[in-house]
Amino acid sequence: MSIPAKILKQVLSRYSSPMTLKYPSGVDPSKKYSQIPEGLRGVPERDAEKCVGCRACFMVCSGRATRIIDLGDKRTISIFLFRCTYCAHCQESCPEEALKMTSKFEFTIGEREDKGAYVDTDLEMLRCKSCNTAFLPKKMEKRVFERLQEKMNPLVKEVVLSDYKKLEGYCPECRRARSTNFDTHTKKWLWLEVK
């Protein structure tokens, strides 16, 4: 076989099989390009049971994809996937480990209004006993107090717990206004005698 014929045969052999990879990607180890790489940061997913609505994800969102919407008795934490850069800062900052980046990276959404374009979590808000203003998610109040109790100094724990019970269910403004009536003070623990 002549050299030009060999070259022609080699060139034509390149076009005898498909030049593109199969889509969608799978996890078949026998196919070189089909694996989803380990540690891929795909669409974020929130565990609604763990989420307390603390706003940590909102504070660190570099793409401004996360929004907090407080409407009456409901707080909605929403991640807009069109803006999300999949940086995983929200996952790293979440104190309750409610957010995680999944391996799902393919999704088809045509419109901004499509529900699939958002990762939403709804939380019930706590209303103030005095002024009836919604001020905090119920789950957050409970979880914050549990975390504080874990690290509380045993010498002041009893006083802090009694003060907390008096002020529980009041918004910050009403707490401040009623602290003298309730016999509470933020520095009260300093006045306790340490034996």
Side-chain angles (χ1 to χ4, degrees), residues 157-169:
K157 192 170 188 173
E158 190 180 316
V159 175
V160 172
L161 286 174
S162 69
D163 282 357
Y164 175 77
K165 292 295 178 195
K166 293 174 190 173
L167 298 174
E168 187 178 16

Side-chain angles (χ1 to χ4, degrees), residues 108-130:
T108 308
I109 300 161
E111 297 294 323
R112 184 187 221 12
E113 291 77 27
D114 191 337
K115 284 198 95 37
Y118 298 88
V119 176
D120 290 344
T121 304
D122 294 329
L123 298 158
E124 190 180 350
M125 295 291 276
L126 186 67
R127 288 198 164 272
C128 179
K129 290 177 184 177
S130 178

Side-chain angles (χ1 to χ4, degrees), residues 4-5 36 59 64 68 73 79 83 97 123 144 171 173 190:
I36 293 171
M59 301 300 250
R64 294 181 302 145
I68 307 289
D73 289 335
I79 300 173
R83 289 198 73 133
E97 297 177 0
L123 298 158
V144 166
C171 71
E173 291 299 317
L190 291 172

